[in-house]
Amino acid sequence: MRFLHTGDWHLGKIFHEVSLIEDQREFLRQVCEELESARTDGNPYSALLVPGDVYDRAVPPTEATQLLSRFLNTVHSSFPEIHLFFIAGNHDSAGRLSFARELLDSQNIHICTDTSHYTEPVVLENGGEAVCVYQLPFLYPLSISSDDEKLLRTQQEQYEYALSRILQVHDKSYSGIPAVLCAHLFTAKSAVGSSERSFVGTAEMVDTDVFNGFTYCALGHIHKCQPCGSEKRVYYSGSPLAYDFDDNPDTFMLSVTVNGAEVPSVQKIPVRPLHRLAVLEGAFGDFYGASADKKLIEKYRDCYVKISATDTSVVQGAMSLLRTNFPLCLSFVPKIYSSASSLSTVQERKSAIDSRNSSQIFEQFLSDAYGSSVFEDELPAEEKQCVQDEKKLFSELSKNLSW
């Protein structure tokens, strides 16, 4: 039996103040394209697994809900035999995502937003084969209650208990049938990118051993496509689009073939983004003006671009100028600013404040704002003189301050 696994859609995502609805619309078109291609090849999918973060925020914009509604209608109309599985991630509102859940369930669209029936599978049958699909949404503290009324607070405790309960019920009622899990969580040792939430410590992590006993686990939450554990039965599909300039620009859907208790066959299907992400670095003149690199402009004109300029001086109206050549330039970071953020430690700032020395405090401010280059010989003479004049003026004004 064949499954298409893709999660962390984040419909309605705003990236550097730009809506990604059209980019996401193109991705969903490719999902339909893959479903059609598989059917044409005589090896159709039995189900689409979407393990959470369907929307980017709890109250999604109208465009995002309309996009999902049209996608569901298109898939159900074109592929009525395919089962669609959606669970709530930490970005989703369970109440909003579960709208019309009971009605949709009768149309092979299964939406799971709570744990009231988490041990009850959807049994898929195809050509004499059967697979049980279990759904477990993102678990908040105390989402799962144990039979002995023990409080389960951490993700590890909740998943250990919940998955053991699922397997107990499965072995009793569906022995011999492969068990597939759709869940949204953070597994230990998984590679985390810049666009995911950062965790402190290991309280949110779940060890991959808890998945032992499942034939395949379709996970969401981590935006990088990757397997987890040594048996290659647990996978993150990753997000379909790169949602941060530091993310890997290559994104995928996963085609999963389940054949009894054997290790599933998993193949990556590349997603073709409407606009790729690119990070460019060089002198400002490389991107704008008479000396601009025309080949570079042509190559990245249709990309979402972040430009890091190596110049040590500030260009007025830089974004407006850059967008004449790079219409989708979303971020511009001059070296003079990007280097400044790492120059001063908290201790250095505290030391300057404790000194109550006006000149030292002002120098610290200049260093934080503009970088250490304001005190170096590479600055033009006019700018160096301006800095010295500002320091002198500040020193005179501060004489009247009472510490």
Side-chain angles (χ1 to χ4, degrees):
M1 200 171 294
R2 199 176 181 199
F3 299 87
L4 185 62
H5 170 195
T6 169
D8 292 277
W9 292 356
H10 290 272
L11 300 181
K13 176 79 172 180
I14 302 296
F15 183 54
H16 286 266
E17 302 183 7
V18 172
S19 170
L20 297 182
I21 282 292
E22 291 306 317
D23 301 75
Q24 293 168 335
R25 192 189 313 280
E26 169 58 21
F27 158 67
L28 293 180
R29 188 198 65 78
Q30 292 179 39
V31 173
C32 295
E33 180 183 82
E34 174 61 23
L35 296 177
E36 178 61 38
S37 176
R39 182 169 64 180
T40 302
D41 292 342
N43 188 18
Y45 288 101
S46 297
L48 171 68
L49 307 178
V50 184
D53 283 355
V54 181
Y55 293 119
D56 187 57
R57 51 188 184 272
V59 183
T62 302
E63 296 83 359
T65 58
Q66 291 176 341
L67 181 59
L68 179 61
S69 177
R70 290 166 184 162
F71 171 77
L72 295 179
N73 181 64
T74 299
V75 174
H76 181 67
S77 300
S78 304
F79 313 95
E81 72 285 357
I82 292 180
H83 288 256
L84 310 180
F85 293 88
F86 293 85
I87 65 171
N90 58 303
H91 280 252
D92 297 308
S93 163
R96 289 179 173 83
L97 188 62
S98 63
F99 174 76
R101 177 174 60 183
E102 292 78 8
L103 176 63
L104 293 173
D105 193 61
S106 65
Q107 305 299 313
N108 291 344
I109 301 173
H110 313 287
I111 299 176
C112 177
T113 59
D114 58 49
T115 59
S116 56
H117 303 285
Y118 74 91
T119 60
E120 300 175 13
V122 175
V123 182
L124 307 183
E125 295 181 323
N126 185 7
E129 298 180 354
V131 171
C132 291
V133 179
Y134 295 89
Q135 295 174 280
L136 203 55
F138 182 79
L139 299 182
Y140 294 94
L142 309 180
S143 291
I144 296 291
S145 300
S146 64
D147 292 336
D148 59 3
E149 298 184 356
K150 177 184 176 182
L151 295 180
L152 306 175
R153 293 188 175 88
T154 68
Q155 294 271 294
Q156 179 70 27
E157 291 174 337
Q158 292 193 92
Y159 277 97
E160 280 183 351
Y161 180 81
L163 299 186
S164 65
R165 286 283 295 124
I166 290 175
L167 292 174
Q168 287 173 10
V169 172
H170 183 81
D171 290 342
K172 182 178 179 180
S173 303
Y174 304 98
S175 180
I177 300 178
V180 170
L181 174 69
C182 194
H184 192 89
L185 68 152
F186 181 23
T187 59
K189 299 181 180 179
S190 54
V192 180
S194 298
S195 58
E196 293 105 328
R197 169 186 167 190
S198 298
F199 293 93
V200 178
T202 58
E204 299 282 356
M205 292 185 182
V206 177
D207 194 90
T208 54
D209 290 343
V210 301
F211 303 111
N212 293 342
F214 289 91
T215 301
Y216 182 77
C217 296
L219 302 186
H221 197 34
I222 303 302
H223 290 182
K224 180 180 179 180
C225 182
Q226 59 190 294
C228 301
S230 58
E231 291 191 2
K232 301 298 178 65
R233 294 179 182 270
V234 182
Y235 276 82
Y236 286 103
S237 66
S239 60
L241 302 173
Y243 289 130
D244 189 275
F245 281 110
D246 291 330
D247 285 353
N248 190 326
D250 298 321
T251 57
F252 306 91
M253 298 179 279
L254 296 179
S255 174
V256 183
T257 301
V258 174
N259 185 15
E262 297 178 6
V263 176
S265 170
V266 179
Q267 295 181 326
K268 291 182 177 180
I269 302 172
V271 175
R272 305 179 301 278
L274 186 63
H275 303 100
R276 291 184 66 84
L277 268 60
V279 179
L280 308 178
E281 183 174 341
F284 190 84
D286 295 337
F287 309 112
Y288 178 81
S291 61
D293 189 331
K294 292 181 174 56
K295 290 184 178 179
L296 188 73
I297 295 171
E298 182 65 25
K299 182 177 180 180
Y300 295 104
R301 186 173 182 83
D302 294 326
C303 296
Y304 291 129
V305 174
K306 174 183 178 180
I307 293 179
S308 298
T310 56
D311 308 75
T312 56
S313 58
V314 178
V315 178
Q316 296 298 319
M319 284 292 283
S320 297
L321 298 176
L322 289 171
R323 283 176 176 166
T324 60
N325 291 330
F326 301 91
L328 301 179
C329 180
L330 304 184
S331 176
F332 172 65
V333 184
K335 179 182 177 182
I336 196 170
Y337 289 156
S338 61
S339 62
S341 60
S342 61
L343 292 175
S344 300
T345 64
V346 174
Q347 290 79 8
E348 288 173 335
R349 297 188 185 103
K350 186 176 183 300
S351 176
I353 294 172
D354 290 343
S355 72
R356 298 189 176 184
N357 183 302
S358 303
S359 179
Q360 184 177 343
I361 292 173
F362 188 62
E363 287 186 8
Q364 185 65 50
F365 164 75
L366 291 175
S367 179
D368 286 347
Y370 301 108
S372 60
S373 61
V374 296
F375 306 114
E376 297 173 358
D377 293 335
E378 60 185 77
L379 279 180
E382 295 84 358
E383 293 188 23
K384 289 172 64 177
Q385 184 59 51
C386 182
V387 170
Q388 295 301 322
D389 291 343
E390 288 179 349
K391 288 172 62 178
K392 182 179 179 181
L393 176 60
F394 183 81
S395 180
E396 292 175 354
L397 291 173
S398 64
K399 290 179 181 179
N400 296 323
L401 294 176
S402 175
W403 292 99

